[in-house]
Amino acid sequence: MNDPTDPPRDRLFADDPGMLVDFRFDSAVARVFPDMIRRSVPGYGEIIGLLGLFAERYTQPGSTLYDLGCSLGAASLAMRRRIPHPDCRIVAVDNAEAMLERAREHLAADPQPTPVELRCADLREVPIEDASVVVLNFTLQFIDPADRLPLLERIHHGLRPGGVLLLAEKIDFANELSHDFHTGMHLAFKRANGYSELEISRKRSALERVLIPDTLEQHRERLGWAGFQRIETWFQCFNFAALAAFK
Ligand code: GEK
């Protein structure tokens, strides 16, 4: 039986014909987002928790942390719990007001002292300054491929020496066998989490032109072009991976 305090269940692609167009981060998505991402992205909860650990280790005194494409603020909340310095702040950015509205509520209910500035803006236009940690958690994949390198260059420029970019993405595979294996396992993960074939195929069509994944090799190469010195892959589950890129 469902606990009445459970987050609302994602049935967007089961019964909303409006979602048959391109995927949008609107109020319907914001309402079910925690359930949607947990049932769709293997390792999401683990990654969010570990972002807190990165913040604990890599936040520099007096610096700014950025959460770009913050959605409901999960990464900001995880980092805020473990930032070891009292004089830091977090800038959390999203261009979907419906997502930010809920992020505002979640942050207000959280007692941690680090200030979080929520900005409704296109993350491509937000200045990155005096940063020690920058998070792009499942967000770069939604940015126009032509804008990805300039964004990473700006992030690199805005990081202090020793600062880190934490990048998590859905990934593609150049090798067909690898592609089929990982996407097949992801499909099994979604089925096991209660999504029907219809929901899975409708969501795939809605995301087709909106979420464009790169391979891990493309990510590593581009991060190198942007100036990052050292790149570590610290998580992978099927076609989802997380990287830490150090300045
Ligand atoms: C999490 N990081 O829970 N400018 C600002 N925001 C954008 C842009 C843009 N150009 N494009 C997309 N977004 C979160 C999860 S979700 C991932 C990130 C997913 C925002 C968009 O509005 C959405 O909130 C977020 O990026 C992507 O750790 O839904 O798979």
Side-chain angles (χ1 to χ4, degrees):
M1 209 175 83
N2 276 352
D3 179 334
T5 60
D6 277 352
R9 192 160 170 89
D10 167 25
R11 292 190 44 80
L12 291 179
F13 292 91
D15 47 27
D16 183 354
M19 286 306 275
L20 295 175
V21 295
D22 282 352
F23 192 86
R24 277 176 290 118
F25 290 98
D26 57 14
S27 59
V29 168
R31 199 178 77 82
V32 299
F33 187 74
D35 178 69
M36 170 189 276
I37 198 149
R38 188 181 53 79
R39 290 201 287 139
S40 309
V41 177
Y44 172 77
E46 196 67 28
I47 290 172
I48 288 290
L50 291 168
L51 291 179
L53 207 60
F54 275 100
E56 182 172 322
R57 188 159 175 150
Y58 291 102
T59 300
Q60 300 178 23
S63 66
T64 302
L65 295 84
Y66 288 85
D67 179 3
L68 304 177
C70 63
S71 298
L72 309 197
S76 291
L77 284 164
M79 294 197 292
R80 198 189 202 192
R81 274 181 206 132
R82 300 189 80 94
I83 291 173
H85 308 292
D87 51 356
C88 294
R89 66 180 187 131
I90 300 175
V91 174
V93 181
D94 207 288
N95 63 356
E97 184 48 47
M99 303 295 262
L100 283 181
E101 222 168 87
R102 281 170 190 265
R104 211 166 283 126
E105 289 166 20
H106 291 192
L107 287 160
D110 172 66
Q112 301 301 322
T114 302
V116 182
E117 188 188 317
L118 282 177
R119 284 196 204 159
C120 188
D122 189 319
L123 61 89
R124 288 168 293 192
E125 283 156 23
V126 170
I128 310 290
E129 287 159 343
D130 205 22
S132 57
V133 177
V134 177
V135 169
L136 272 170
N137 207 39
F138 302 109
T139 298
L140 191 65
Q141 60 200 21
F142 292 106
I143 301 298
D144 183 333
D147 295 339
R148 293 179 188 182
L149 178 58
L151 171 64
L152 296 181
E153 286 171 336
R154 271 199 324 104
I155 292 173
H156 181 266
H157 186 73
L159 275 166
R160 291 183 181 178
V164 65
L165 164 65
L166 301 167
L167 173 67
E169 289 275 285
K170 183 173 191 180
I171 53 170
D172 200 358
F173 295 85
N175 176 296
E176 200 180 322
L177 282 178
S178 301
H179 177 270
D180 292 350
F181 164 72
H182 289 287
T183 51
M185 288 307 293
H186 181 223
L187 194 63
F189 175 85
K190 293 189 38 151
R191 280 192 200 118
N193 281 330
Y195 283 117
S196 69
E197 300 304 318
L198 184 65
E199 286 174 285
I200 292 170
S201 80
R202 280 178 170 175
K203 187 169 183 191
R204 190 185 302 123
S205 317
L207 280 173
E208 215 152 50
R209 284 185 298 265
V210 181
L211 190 170
I212 301 167
D214 293 315
T215 63
L216 264 184
E217 294 69 30
Q218 286 171 315
H219 281 295
R220 297 179 76 95
E221 187 174 44
R222 188 167 47 216
L223 286 164
W225 290 336
F228 288 93
Q229 297 289 326
R230 191 159 66 86
I231 300 145
E232 300 287 353
T233 305
W234 57 272
F235 179 92
Q236 188 183 338
C237 183
F238 310 139
N239 46 351
F240 293 84
L243 304 160
F246 296 89
K247 178 162 177 176

